[in-house]
RNA sequence: GCUGAAGUGGUGGAACUGGUAGACACGCAGGACUUAAAAUCCUGUGCCCUCAACAGGCGUGCGGGUUCGAUUCCCGCCUUCAGUACCA
């Protein structure tokens, strides 16, 4: 039979499901290997061809590892809490759980038909109570923990209480809030329960605190820093503002250093690591305290250039700094208040766009430089951020360009501090070279010496010390939304208390609608009678999207367990993820939070590995090729010498508006280009063509104008100035590879184009193309279902791999898919005779056949190990082409070839494998590569003269340099190329090249 | 601005440690089969000069350098993409 992909694929997908072919067990003599995909959010749109790219790669890898004798865990699940289902619920009243279930079913159907080797018995869904019970449980562990800086790990909160009981708080070294109290053991004993809880909250790894958050009014919720891009929400693109709110936070900053250090131990793409490093933003410097004149206050600043401290000519506070009001003198009060008001008006975006303009206001107060005793003015300016460092900086104009601009703008002194600084009257010179001048007791020192000396001096004087600062902030954990994990907390006397472990899961209550309450509380405030023990308020925020995804790889290890998030034995066996494939957009979100929770779980002894994902590969995004139909419209002016009556004016404006965009009439793209082309340097025929098009469109305008009695009072503007160009997305299904639009069907089937007129004469109608992200609204989504129906899953899998390197982002087009399909048919035909009957021979293979086979065994093995899937597809084609030329149908060759191809095209390979008389591929092994078959006695050496390749010459591979040189020079053709010139030198690289230098 | 990645035929891309640039595939052109089309098969296909062959010249973003030899290494520049941005 011919290659019947549909029947074959259905058959084997059923077989795999029935036989649980890919079920992994946590006990095996084989070494373990854990291949993980980033689990999807099941959106309503279903899968497009870009989604499976990473899944196909990981599936090939998983199947390959099984053939190589590994016990492979390759699971899949759904990150099923999220915003779209909730917004759909707000619009339609449909419960998010229902929408989610429907979407998951679509995803599952689509995933199944691609033939993935997932162990579905381990499926997880983050929105299932049996799953989020353990997300809540982890939250509770975090609440019950503090970070001990002495042991450098998280510990149970009870060890902190013991320390309070034994020695009070003075000696505690913890990652905690800044406003912790200093107290003696006796004080602690006398604290009321509420006071104790309040104090402990400042140490817990998840805590409630008044903090400045990113508030998104349109979504009605707060967002984490990584969910905000350029002042807009990542999802939905709504504006985000800063707001002070009581919020749950995760003390991820406690782990900043370990998150940074861990990056050096994992095999991740360098850009990913770099993004995380930037996000953590470690900088080392010093903190210095400046005394405020006529006050007890000390302003602490953080600087990375403590060596420049003698060059300080002013200090700046962030406008939001809490001391601004009390440090402003009465004389300056109005100015400062005015400046703060102005700053507040600016949105985050304005502030960023405004980066180059210098602004600020003087408080009237002076502070004292602790090293020089000099008094310098205290300013406020919005270039200082309240959220970073201490919200106060010292200004050193000679060494920092921003400080230089500020000083220049406000006439503050610019003091040179290093003898090597140049042209500081033109711009700042941030050099660290040279010796210090004008710098008191560090004069004459070099950079390193000065920093060490100053840090010590500041510490001795008690006015500062060396300090390491991180940009990363604690992660805001609460979301004012419905469709998320409820936080297992209730409030008693305004203080948060955890539920008991046995009370988990705290189920998401039913509510009447999915909007905030009338009093502005989160949607959970609508749940009637939803109270702990019938009287205490539950926390009304839910967890953020990243909560459920920050530990899910552990759940796959033991997905059904209701006693623990996973059996410790399973965790001990599977340990960590060996290969993780997913998009790079999760660099500072999911991947960072997951590393954080993993380290925490390890500290508490629930897992063993410091890092969860040993190797990470980012698949590139597949983007779409949108198509556009173009239309035009007119702008026209009026004859200024003739005045309009009111009536005329009115009808003129109407006509003007009507023809600004001429709807329902489209022009083929080459005509649009013609219209856009300039008047210069063109022949008359173009001008004529253009005039013809335009007069066609202008005719109705003229008629309308005449009817309104406006003829002669209106000017056609010169072209192309007077034209407007418009483009409309056309569904790409109606556009062929030559960019021709099927206008008949488009007009019939797409309501937007009903009754539309295309072109002037019904000729071929061209669209233009643009590369855009695939999305429904751009009508450029390619659905894998269609391709699978046409070519089968094996072709789709191989084609997606053939498209290019996995990591590279690339536009999708279906141009080459025929080639891959033809390859699979050709492969199928190797096993069949002319009449499409399955025929293989048991003859011994020839040397050439063995060579082809072992070349591909070696190549594919190497390619998969370095994730170069596209190159192995080419190699398969070469192998099959070679074997076809050799007319090879020998079992000894073909059986091994099937095993090598199986990870890429599993269905066709299972079929052939069983036709060859074997059980199924789960019993197969990857063929052993034998280098003997590739040994050659001869090699066609490229002979080059002065590095230019001239010819090939067959030489024995046993020849060494001397003999080879002689043989080359003895060759007539070589002599011909040399043309009498005598070689100066001959380079001979065995098995590679001969180069003759003349 | 900073950080990172990348620029190769008409197109997607290959060349893994400096050693035959353009594998494999698409597209295109020509041919076979066919009444015809589709499908299939065969041949050619980087550019330039040439009727053509032989031969030659030019070619991996641009300009230099190192080397017997550079897509690969070094220096400078240009372009594109991604991330990030008043971070003190």
């Amino acid at each position: 039979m011919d290659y019947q992909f549909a029947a074959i694929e259905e058959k084997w997908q059923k077989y795999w499901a029935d036989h649980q072919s890919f079920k992994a067990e946590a006990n095996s003599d084989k070494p373990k290997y854990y291949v993980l995909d980033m689990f999807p959010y099941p959106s309503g749109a279903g899968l497009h061809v870009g989604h499976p790219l990473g899944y196909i790669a990981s599936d090939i890898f998983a199947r390959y590892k099984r053939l190589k004798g590994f016990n492979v865990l390759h699971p899949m699940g759904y990150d099923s809490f999220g915003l779209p289902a909730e917004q759909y619920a707000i619009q339609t009243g449909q419960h998010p759980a229902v929408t989610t279930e429907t979407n998951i079913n679509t995803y599952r159907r689509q995933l199944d038909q691609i033939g993935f080797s997932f162990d579905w018995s381990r499926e997880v869904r983050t929105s299932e109570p049996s799953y989020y019970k353990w997300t809540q449980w982890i939250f509770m562990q975090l609440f019950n923990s503090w970070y001990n800086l002495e042991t450098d790990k998280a510990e149970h909160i009870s060890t902190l209480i013991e320390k309070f009981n034994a020695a009070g708080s003075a000696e505690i070294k913890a990652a905690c809030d800044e406003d912790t109290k200093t107290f003696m053991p006796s004080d602690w004993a006398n604290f009321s329960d509420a006071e104790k809880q309040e104090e402990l909250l400042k140490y817990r790894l998840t805590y409630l605190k008044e903090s400045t958050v990113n508030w998104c009014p349109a979504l009605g919720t707060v967002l984490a820093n990584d969910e905000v891009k350029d002042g807009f929400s990542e999802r939905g693109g709504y504006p985000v503002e800063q707001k002070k709110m009581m919020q749950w936070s995760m003390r991820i900053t406690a782990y900043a250093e370990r998150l940074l250090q861990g990056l050096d131990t994992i095999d991740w793409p360098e850009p990913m690591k770099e993004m995380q490093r930037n996000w953590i933003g470690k900088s080392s410097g010093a903190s210095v305290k400046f005394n405020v004149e006529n006050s007890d206050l000390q302003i602490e600043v953080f600087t990375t250039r403590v060596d420049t401290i003698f060059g300080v000519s002013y200090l700046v506070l962030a406008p939001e700094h809490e001391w601004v009001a009390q440090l402003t003198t009465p004389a300056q009060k109005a100015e400062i208040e005015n400046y703060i008001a102005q700053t507040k008006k600016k949105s985050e975006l304005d502030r960023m766009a405004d980066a180059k303009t210098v602004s600020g206001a003087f408080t009237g107060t002076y502070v004292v430089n602790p090293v020089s005793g000099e008094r310098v003015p205290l300013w406020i300016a919005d270039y200082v951020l309240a959220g970073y460092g201490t919200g106060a900086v010292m200004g050193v104009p000679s060494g920092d360009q921003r400080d230089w601009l500020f000083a220049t703008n406000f006439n503050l002194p610019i003091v040179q501090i290093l003898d090597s600084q140049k042209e500081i009257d033109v711009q700042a010179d941030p050099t660290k070279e040279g010796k210090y001048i004008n710098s008191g007791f560090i004069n004459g020192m070099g950079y390193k010496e000065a920093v060490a000396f100053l840090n010590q001096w500041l510490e001795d004087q008690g006015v500062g010390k060396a300090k390491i600062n991180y940009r990363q902030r604690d992660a805001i954990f609460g979301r004012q939304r419905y469709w998320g994990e409820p936080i297992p907390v209730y409030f008693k006397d305004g203080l948060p208390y955890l539920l008991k472990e046995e009370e988990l899961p705290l189920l998401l209550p039913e509510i009447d609608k999915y909007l905030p309450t009338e009093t502005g509380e989160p949607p959970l405030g609508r749940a009637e009678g939803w109270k702990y023990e019938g009287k205490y308020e539950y926390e009304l925020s839910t967890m953020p999207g990243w909560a459920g995804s920050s530990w899910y790889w552990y759940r796959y290890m033991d997905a059904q367990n209701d006693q623990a998030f996973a059996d410790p034995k399973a965790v001990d066996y599977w340990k960590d993820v060996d290969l993780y494939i997913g998009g790079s957009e999760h660099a500072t979100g999911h991947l960072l939070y997951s590393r954080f929770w993993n380290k925490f779980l390890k500290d508490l002894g629930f897992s063993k590995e410091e890092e969860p994902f040993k190797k990470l590969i980012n698949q590139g995004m597949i983007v779409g090729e949108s198509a556009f139909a173009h239309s035009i419209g007119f702008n026209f002016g009026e004859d200024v010498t003739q005045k309009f009556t009111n009536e005329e004016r009115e009808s003129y404006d109407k006509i003007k508006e009507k023809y600004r965009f001429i709807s329902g009439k489209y022009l083929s793209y080459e005509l649009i280009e013609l219209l856009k082309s300039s008047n210069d340097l063109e022949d008359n025929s173009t001008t004529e063509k253009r005039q013809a098009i335009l007069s066609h469109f202008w005719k109705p305008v003229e008629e309308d104008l005449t009817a309104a009695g406006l003829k002669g009072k209106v000017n056609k503007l010169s072209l192309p100035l007077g034209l407007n160009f418009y483009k409309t997305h056309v569904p790409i299904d109606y556009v062929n590879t030559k960019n021709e639009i099927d206008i008949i069907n488009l007009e019939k089937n797409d309501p937007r184009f009903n009754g539309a007129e295309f072109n002037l004469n019904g000729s071929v109608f061209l669209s233009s193309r643009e590369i855009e992200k695939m999305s429904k609204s751009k009508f450029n989504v390619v659905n894998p279902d269609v391709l699978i129906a046409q070519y089968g899953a094996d072709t789709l899998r191989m084609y997606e791999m053939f498209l290019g390197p996995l990591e590279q982002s690339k536009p999708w087009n279906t141009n080459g898919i025929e080639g891959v399909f033809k390859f699979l048919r050709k492969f199928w035909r190797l096993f069949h005779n002319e009449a499409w009957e399955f025929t293989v021979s048991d003859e011994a293979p020839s040397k050439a056949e063995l060579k082809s086979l072992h070349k591909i065994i070696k190549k594919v093995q190497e390619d998969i190990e370095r994730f170069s899937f596209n190159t192995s597809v080419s190699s398969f084609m070469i192998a099959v082409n070679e074997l076809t030329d050799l007319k090879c149908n020998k079992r000894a060759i073909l059986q091994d070839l099937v095993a090598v191809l199986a990870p890429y095209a599993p269905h066709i390979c299972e079929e052939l494998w069983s036709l060859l008389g074997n059980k199924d591929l789960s019993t197969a092994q990857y063929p052993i590569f034998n280098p003997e078959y590739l040994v050659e006695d001869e090699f066609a050496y490229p002979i080059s003269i002065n590095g230019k390749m001239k010819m090939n010459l067959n030489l024995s591979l046993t020849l060494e340099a001397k003999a080879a040189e002689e043989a080359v020079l003895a060759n007539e053709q070589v002599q011909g190329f040399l043309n009498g010139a005598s070689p100066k030198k001959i380079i001979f690289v065995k098995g590679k090249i001969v180069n003759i230098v003349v």
Side-chain angles (χ1 to χ4, degrees):
Chain A
M1 271 217 288
D2 197 354
Y3 171 37
Q4 303 283 349
F5 58 84
I8 293 173
E9 290 178 0
E10 200 189 332
K11 171 181 165 187
W12 288 101
Q13 282 164 14
K14 184 165 186 312
Y15 180 94
W16 295 329
D18 291 347
H19 291 76
Q20 301 213 9
S21 302
F22 310 113
K23 198 168 157 79
E25 299 293 344
N27 49 55
S28 170
D29 309 333
K30 300 174 183 174
K32 73 99 188 182
Y33 201 90
Y34 190 171
V35 185
L36 183 66
D37 292 292
M38 288 186 188
F39 63 166
Y41 172 78
S43 83
L47 289 176
H48 66 64
V49 290
H51 292 118
L53 184 74
Y55 303 158
I56 294 170
S58 67
D59 195 59
I60 290 169
F61 205 84
R63 286 174 179 271
Y64 168 77
K65 278 286 174 185
R66 287 195 196 99
L67 287 173
K68 277 285 190 179
F70 285 83
N71 184 30
V72 173
L73 175 56
H74 186 42
M76 181 48 83
Y78 306 96
D79 190 10
S80 46
F81 272 134
L83 211 49
E86 177 154 348
Q87 288 190 317
Y88 189 72
I90 291 169
Q91 285 160 25
T92 63
Q94 172 93 283
H95 195 289
V98 176
T99 318
T100 304
E101 173 79 24
T102 313
N103 294 350
I104 284 178
N105 291 337
T106 308
Y107 266 64
R108 179 63 191 272
R109 183 185 57 73
Q110 288 188 297
L111 290 171
D112 278 348
Q113 63 180 8
I114 303 174
F116 292 122
S117 64
F118 294 128
D119 177 355
W120 284 109
S121 72
R122 295 167 184 268
E123 182 196 295
V124 303
R125 300 178 182 190
T126 56
S127 60
E128 285 294 317
S130 61
Y131 181 92
Y132 70 65
K133 170 180 178 179
W134 299 106
T135 310
Q136 292 172 334
W137 180 85
I138 293 172
F139 175 92
M140 289 171 61
Q141 309 310 307
L142 282 154
F143 186 84
N144 275 330
S145 300
W146 67 294
Y147 200 89
N148 186 344
L149 289 173
E150 275 173 320
T151 55
D152 200 22
K153 59 185 224 175
E155 291 178 14
H156 194 269
I157 198 81
S158 59
T159 65
L160 180 66
I161 297 172
E162 276 167 33
K163 281 173 192 282
F164 285 165
N165 279 326
S169 67
E171 296 300 312
I172 302 286
K173 292 211 161 45
C176 57
D177 290 0
E178 272 151 27
D179 58 346
T180 52
K181 290 181 184 154
T182 308
F183 52 80
M184 301 297 290
S186 52
D187 300 328
W188 177 252
N190 289 330
F191 280 175
S192 70
D193 196 41
E195 281 171 319
K196 281 181 181 170
Q197 287 307 326
E198 200 173 338
E199 194 58 24
L200 286 172
L201 200 52
K202 297 173 186 171
Y203 291 84
R204 298 180 189 274
L205 287 186
T206 180
Y207 60 96
L208 200 54
K209 197 189 170 190
E210 167 109 316
S211 45
T212 310
V213 296
N214 304 303
W215 174 254
C216 179
L219 294 174
T221 188
V222 300
L223 297 170
N225 285 344
D226 67 280
E227 294 168 312
V228 182
K229 296 264 180 296
D230 300 330
F232 290 91
S233 67
E234 193 182 27
R235 280 192 178 267
Y238 303 108
V240 172
E241 55 192 48
Q242 303 297 304
K243 192 176 167 181
K244 279 216 175 225
M245 275 180 82
M246 204 59 157
Q247 276 301 322
W248 285 99
S249 286
M250 289 270 167
R251 214 177 291 280
I252 188 172
T253 48
Y255 285 87
E257 190 59 32
R258 278 168 67 187
L259 287 169
L260 193 62
Q261 296 302 325
L263 290 173
D264 295 334
T265 69
I266 49 182
D267 183 6
W268 283 21
E270 201 47 45
M272 286 283 110
K273 293 191 188 182
E274 201 55 33
M275 272 189 243
Q276 292 209 343
R277 284 191 197 106
N278 287 338
W279 191 260
I280 295 165
K282 179 180 183 174
S283 59
S284 42
S287 77
V288 186
K289 289 174 186 159
F290 286 70
N291 281 317
V292 177
E293 208 175 54
N294 307 322
S295 161
D296 296 336
L297 291 174
Q298 286 185 315
I299 294 172
E300 191 178 340
V301 302
F302 174 74
T303 176
T304 52
R305 289 295 301 273
V306 69
D307 58 300
T308 65
I309 193 163
F310 285 94
V312 171
S313 40
Y314 62 98
L315 231 61
V316 196
L317 298 180
E320 300 89 348
H321 196 284
E322 52 176 337
W323 291 351
V324 170
Q326 55 177 310
L327 289 177
T328 303
T329 59
Q332 293 299 110
K333 193 164 179 253
E335 197 182 326
I336 289 286
E337 278 172 1
N338 180 31
Y339 183 72
I340 291 173
Q342 267 179 29
T343 311
K344 266 198 185 144
K345 253 192 277 169
K346 281 197 226 172
S347 71
E348 187 81 350
L349 214 66
D350 296 337
R351 216 162 139 166
M352 280 190 280
D354 244 23
K356 280 181 192 76
T357 55
V358 180
S359 71
F362 179 41
T363 60
T365 301
Y366 286 82
V367 296
V368 181
N369 186 329
V371 294
S372 63
E374 200 183 337
R375 67 196 280 272
V376 293
L378 178 68
W379 287 64
I380 66 169
D382 64 4
Y383 81 81
V384 178
L385 307 175
Y388 183 75
T390 57
V393 302
M394 57 186 219
V396 184
S398 70
D400 182 291
Q401 183 58 21
R402 211 187 28 214
D403 293 350
W404 187 93
L405 286 170
F406 194 86
T408 310
N409 196 52
F410 293 113
N411 274 323
L412 293 158
I414 299 171
V415 183
Q416 186 177 1
I417 40 166
L418 277 157
D419 56 9
S420 58
Q421 280 178 319
K422 288 191 193 82
E423 297 182 336
I424 54 168
D425 50 333
V426 183
Q427 58 176 21
D429 182 353
T431 184
K432 294 173 184 172
E433 306 294 316
K435 306 278 181 214
Y436 291 91
I437 54 172
N438 302 324
S439 292
F441 54 77
I442 62 164
N443 274 340
M445 289 186 190
Y447 172 72
K448 278 194 175 155
E449 192 190 355
V451 170
F453 189 89
L454 276 166
N455 281 340
Q456 192 56 51
W457 188 91
L458 289 168
E459 191 156 359
D460 291 346
Q461 305 292 316
V463 291
K465 60 175 185 234
K467 191 181 173 186
I468 289 174
N469 208 22
Y470 298 91
R471 171 159 59 227
Q472 184 176 37
R473 306 285 87 200
D474 278 345
I476 305 291
F477 197 69
R479 295 290 181 279
Q480 288 65 47
R481 309 216 59 93
Y482 176 73
W483 192 230
E485 300 88 346
I487 292 175
V489 161
Y490 64 91
F491 289 88
K492 195 159 92 180
D493 304 326
L495 283 170
Y497 291 88
L498 286 182
L499 271 65
K500 297 189 195 76
E501 215 172 295
E502 57 270 24
E503 287 164 342
L504 295 182
L506 172 60
L507 293 173
L508 198 53
E510 296 301 319
I511 55 176
D512 55 348
K513 49 181 172 175
Y514 305 94
L515 288 169
T517 64
E518 281 67 28
T519 54
E521 284 186 321
L524 287 188
R526 293 177 175 275
E528 268 179 51
W530 194 55
K531 293 229 159 66
Y532 183 69
E533 290 178 346
K535 50 186 169 178
Y536 301 115
E537 282 284 353
Y538 280 120
E539 169 62 49
L540 296 179
S541 301
T542 53
M543 298 189 196
W546 52 267
S549 60
S550 293
W551 69 280
Y552 75 112
W553 68 96
Y554 281 122
R555 189 62 180 170
Y556 283 137
M557 295 176 183
D558 189 13
Q560 314 299 334
N561 199 323
D562 59 1
Q563 299 302 307
F565 69 86
D567 186 327
K569 279 193 221 124
V571 174
D572 204 32
Y573 178 79
W574 293 109
K575 289 191 177 66
D576 53 9
V577 175
D578 295 282
L579 173 65
Y580 196 20
I581 295 188
S584 56
E585 66 273 20
H586 298 106
T588 51
H590 161 62
L591 287 168
L592 200 58
Y593 295 128
S594 292
R595 294 181 61 222
F596 160 43
W597 278 28
N598 185 75
K599 285 173 196 297
F600 168 72
L601 289 172
K602 186 202 170 212
D603 285 353
L604 264 58
F606 294 117
S607 70
K608 297 271 159 53
E609 300 296 323
E610 177 77 9
E611 289 291 336
F613 314 125
K614 259 193 277 191
K615 179 166 181 68
L616 175 73
I617 300 269
N618 297 124
Q619 89 274 21
M621 196 170 31
I622 290 191
V623 284
E625 247 188 313
S626 306
F628 297 93
H630 292 257
S631 46
I632 60 166
F634 289 108
N635 288 325
F636 38 91
E638 58 199 69
D639 188 340
V640 282
T641 57
Q642 300 189 40
K643 291 244 165 77
F644 286 154
T645 65
N646 282 348
E647 205 179 316
E648 282 174 336
R649 162 71 56 197
E650 202 175 296
S651 47
Y652 174 63
D653 284 345
K654 257 188 210 154
I655 296 169
K656 211 171 163 183
E657 183 59 27
K658 182 175 169 191
Y659 292 101
R660 204 169 47 82
F661 167 62
I662 301 168
S663 72
K665 289 188 180 183
Y666 297 89
L667 276 172
S668 187
Y669 189 56
E670 84 279 2
L671 300 178
I672 293 290
E673 283 187 313
L674 185 78
L675 292 178
K676 279 185 179 171
S677 65
S678 82
N679 279 305
D680 318 326
L681 300 169
E682 54 182 278
D683 53 64
N684 289 336
S685 68
T686 2
T687 317
E688 271 169 37
K689 269 188 224 160
R690 197 155 56 191
Q691 287 310 323
I693 300 166
L694 288 174
S695 55
H696 173 87
F697 280 96
W698 185 253
K699 226 176 176 178
V701 184
E702 204 138 39
E703 282 163 13
D704 279 6
L705 289 174
T706 313
L710 291 167
K711 203 170 177 208
K713 294 192 175 181
V714 169
N715 290 338
K716 228 195 284 189
L717 288 187
S718 71
L719 299 170
L721 257 169
L723 279 180
N724 301 316
F725 294 96
Y726 303 92
K727 54 185 183 183
T728 315
H729 277 100
V730 172
I732 48 164
D733 305 347
Y734 297 107
V735 187
N736 68 14
T737 51
K738 289 176 187 159
N739 295 341
E740 295 164 3
I741 301 184
D742 176 359
I743 42 180
I744 297 169
N745 284 310
L746 177 67
E747 198 259 303
K748 203 173 3 170
N749 299 332
D750 190 324
R752 296 175 305 153
F753 293 95
N754 283 166
E757 181 187 301
F758 293 90
N759 268 358
L760 314 178
N761 49 11
S763 57
V764 174
F765 190 89
L766 295 181
S767 64
S768 68
R769 293 273 193 169
E770 252 170 65
I771 304 288
E772 293 182 300
K773 214 169 158 174
M774 273 197 194
S775 114
K776 243 182 176 172
S777 63
K778 297 185 173 109
F779 297 92
N780 63 354
V781 174
V782 183
N783 188 317
D785 300 17
V786 179
L787 293 167
I788 288 173
Q790 201 175 346
Y791 300 103
D794 285 336
T795 297
L796 178 76
R797 290 169 63 107
M798 291 198 81
Y799 182 59
E800 293 224 1
M801 292 298 101
F802 190 53
L803 227 43
L806 180 62
E807 288 97 331
Q808 204 170 296
S809 147
K810 51 223 154 194
W812 176 267
N813 66 64
T814 322
N815 293 350
I817 199 166
E818 290 279 351
V820 174
F821 183 68
K822 275 194 249 175
F823 154 75
L824 282 176
R825 278 194 76 192
K826 213 168 171 181
F827 173 64
W828 178 258
R829 207 155 48 196
L830 281 177
F831 300 76
H832 294 80
N833 63 17
E834 299 281 304
W836 289 108
E837 291 159 341
F838 183 81
T839 331
V840 289
S841 126
D842 286 317
E843 269 178 75
S846 72
K847 209 180 156 197
E849 290 164 345
L850 283 166
K851 188 179 165 192
S852 277
L853 173 66
H854 282 264
K855 239 172 31 186
I856 191 80
I857 294 173
K858 176 167 188 270
K859 174 77 166 128
V860 170
Q861 185 169 312
E862 286 168 358
D863 282 350
I864 293 183
E865 307 272 355
R866 66 191 173 100
F867 305 96
S868 176
F869 301 100
N870 56 325
T871 50
S872 21
V873 178
S874 308
S875 307
F876 282 126
M877 290 173 173
I878 295 169
V880 167
N881 287 345
E882 281 173 0
L883 292 172
T884 304
D885 289 345
L886 292 166
K887 300 202 173 11
C888 171
N889 70 337
K890 291 169 188 157
R891 175 185 300 274
I893 299 293
L894 297 184
Q895 180 147 324
D896 277 355
L897 184 60
V898 169
V900 177
L901 182 63
Y904 289 80
H907 308 89
I908 191 174
C909 288
E910 282 277 17
E911 180 69 12
L912 291 167
W913 187 253
S914 84
L915 285 172
L916 285 163
N918 304 297
K919 192 170 167 275
D920 64 50
L921 275 165
S922 65
T923 59
Q925 283 192 349
Y926 195 82
I928 312 270
F929 167 62
N930 185 344
E932 276 172 35
Y933 295 121
L934 300 192
V935 173
E936 298 276 353
D937 348 307
E938 276 201 335
F939 176 68
Y941 279 93
I943 311 293
S944 49
I945 294 172
N946 287 340
K948 295 236 181 256
M949 216 289 266
K950 294 291 177 186
M951 57 176 282
N952 286 93
L953 182 62
N954 271 318
L955 293 175
S956 161
L957 274 164
T958 57
L959 283 188
E960 294 301 327
K962 202 144 187 252
E965 283 168 28
E966 281 165 16
V968 168
L969 289 178
N971 184 282
E972 253 179 61
Q973 215 186 332
V974 173
Q975 284 303 328
F977 279 115
L978 284 174
N979 199 15
S982 62
K984 274 194 204 125
K985 192 172 163 190
I986 299 180
I987 315 286
F988 174 79
V989 184
K990 200 174 179 180
K992 285 265 158 87
I993 200 166
V994 180
N995 188 16
I996 305 170
V997 188
V998 293

